[in-house]
């Protein structure tokens, strides 16, 4: 490289999914969808509700537990069957919830030469459909394990992509495509206080429709607050 010249670094824009790109929480909606369609028992639903209470009130909880409870309700079905159920759920329940402002912002990022990545704690098959719907260039989401028979085991494969794990997922995805040092996190959009680690690493961070706790964090950090609620 010649003296004074700069190595090209690919700018990346990262979008959270639940509460940011869509007006809703895919995990809670998927749980309700499974219960109403006879896939989930009342007992399992109660266990998931208890997990949600612990999550919201900051009591001890395990990230993997909720995903495993949901996938446990689909036990005995092939991966193709489970993926088909998630696709129907996405098309019926999530498709109407995409925020127009989020889709417009993805287009703006592309016009500015940025690669757009969707990062979410939701299940990979749902994130794949979401990335396609939004026009994102890729996605990083929670992966569920499959056994040798091709069936989902009901266990999480690797970490749940939540909290500080979101940036690590971004780092893995970008390093694999652009090389270490070949990219920069230009913009990040998220709605929840657990996403603060991700936003803090971006050149330009945006708090989208944040809750009361996250509004305080965003104002202290000087992050613009975007109202995409309609």
């Amino acid at each position: 490289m010649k003296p004074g010249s700069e190595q090209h670094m690919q700018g990346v824009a990262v979008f959270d999914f639940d509460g940011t790109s869509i007006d809703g929480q895919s995990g809670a909606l998927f749980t309700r969808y499974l219960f109403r369609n006879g896939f989930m028992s009342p007992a399992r639903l109660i266990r998931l509700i208890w997990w949600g209470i612990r999550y919201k009130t900051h009591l001890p909880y395990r990230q993997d537990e909720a995903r495993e409870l949901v996938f446990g309700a689909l036990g005995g079905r092939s991966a193709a069957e489970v993926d088909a159920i998630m696709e129907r759920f996405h098309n019926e329940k999530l498709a109407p919830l995409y925020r127009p402002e989020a889709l417009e912002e993805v287009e703006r990022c592309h016009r500015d030469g940025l690669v757009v990545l969707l990062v979410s704690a939701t299940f990979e098959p749902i994130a794949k459909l979401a990335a396609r719907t939004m026009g994102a260039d890729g996605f990083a989401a929670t992966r569920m394990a499959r056994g040798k028979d091709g069936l989902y085991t009901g266990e999480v494969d690797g970490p749940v992509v939540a909290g500080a794990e979101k940036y690590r997922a971004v780092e893995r995805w970008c390093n694999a495509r652009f090389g270490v040092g070949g990219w920069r996190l230009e913009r990040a959009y998220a709605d929840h206080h657990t996403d603060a680690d991700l936003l803090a690493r971006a050149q330009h961070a945006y708090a989208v429709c944040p809750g009361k706790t996250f509004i305080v964090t965003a104002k202290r950090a000087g992050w613009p607050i975007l109202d995409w609620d309609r």
Side-chain angles (χ1 to χ4, degrees), residues 106-203:
V106 169
E107 292 181 357
R108 184 175 78 89
C109 290
H110 278 148
R111 288 196 300 270
D112 292 342
L114 303 179
V115 166
V116 175
L117 178 65
L118 179 70
V119 179
S120 175
T122 196
F123 301 118
E124 268 197 339
I126 294 175
K128 182 178 180 179
L129 293 164
R132 185 172 66 193
T133 300
M134 295 173 62
D137 300 292
F139 65 90
T142 302
R143 182 185 302 111
M144 301 304 291
R146 298 187 188 190
K148 294 181 180 179
D149 55 5
L151 303 180
Y152 283 112
T153 66
E155 298 178 347
V156 176
D157 180 9
V160 174
V161 182
E165 186 58 35
K166 284 189 176 178
Y167 179 75
R168 288 192 283 269
V170 170
E171 195 172 40
R172 288 192 296 270
W173 192 91
C174 292
N175 284 345
R177 284 151 185 81
F178 311 118
V180 177
W183 59 280
R184 67 181 183 280
L185 182 51
E186 185 70 22
R187 299 172 190 167
Y189 305 80
D191 73 305
H192 199 260
H193 67 86
T194 57
D195 298 317
D197 176 76
L198 174 66
L199 296 190
R201 297 172 184 273
Q203 296 288 321

Side-chain angles (χ1 to χ4, degrees), residues 18-217:
D18 294 319
T20 302
S21 302
I22 61 170
D23 183 13
Q25 299 295 319
S26 63
L29 292 168
F30 190 42
T31 297
R32 191 178 308 162
Y33 180 84
L34 293 177
F35 180 71
R36 288 180 175 176
N37 285 276
F39 295 111
M40 181 176 291
S41 69
R44 188 178 293 271
L45 177 63
I46 290 171
R47 291 172 65 189
L48 276 162
I49 291 172
W50 172 233
W51 183 93
I53 291 171
R54 283 179 286 149
Y55 175 78
K56 285 185 175 295
T57 57
H58 307 292
L59 292 172
Y61 68 94
R62 184 170 59 87
Q63 280 283 3
D64 293 8
E65 182 182 358
R67 281 80 187 170
E68 291 168 357
L69 282 169
V70 171
F71 256 70
L74 298 170
R77 292 175 173 82
S78 70
E81 286 180 291
V82 175
D83 290 352
I85 290 170
M86 285 192 278
E87 182 171 5
R88 289 197 298 273
F89 160 71
H90 173 271
N91 295 340
E92 293 173 16
K93 302 300 181 181
L94 298 186
L97 300 180
Y98 283 90
R99 299 186 190 273
E101 296 88 347
L103 303 181
E104 292 166 5
E105 193 68 10
V106 169
E107 292 181 357
R108 184 175 78 89
C109 290
H110 278 148
R111 288 196 300 270
D112 292 342
L114 303 179
V115 166
V116 175
L117 178 65
L118 179 70
V119 179
S120 175
T122 196
F123 301 118
E124 268 197 339
I126 294 175
K128 182 178 180 179
L129 293 164
R132 185 172 66 193
T133 300
M134 295 173 62
D137 300 292
F139 65 90
T142 302
R143 182 185 302 111
M144 301 304 291
R146 298 187 188 190
K148 294 181 180 179
D149 55 5
L151 303 180
Y152 283 112
T153 66
E155 298 178 347
V156 176
D157 180 9
V160 174
V161 182
E165 186 58 35
K166 284 189 176 178
Y167 179 75
R168 288 192 283 269
V170 170
E171 195 172 40
R172 288 192 296 270
W173 192 91
C174 292
N175 284 345
R177 284 151 185 81
F178 311 118
V180 177
W183 59 280
R184 67 181 183 280
L185 182 51
E186 185 70 22
R187 299 172 190 167
Y189 305 80
D191 73 305
H192 199 260
H193 67 86
T194 57
D195 298 317
D197 176 76
L198 174 66
L199 296 190
R201 297 172 184 273
Q203 296 288 321
H204 303 281
Y206 302 91
V208 179
C209 303
K212 292 181 180 179
T213 300
F214 199 33
I215 285 176
V216 174
T217 301

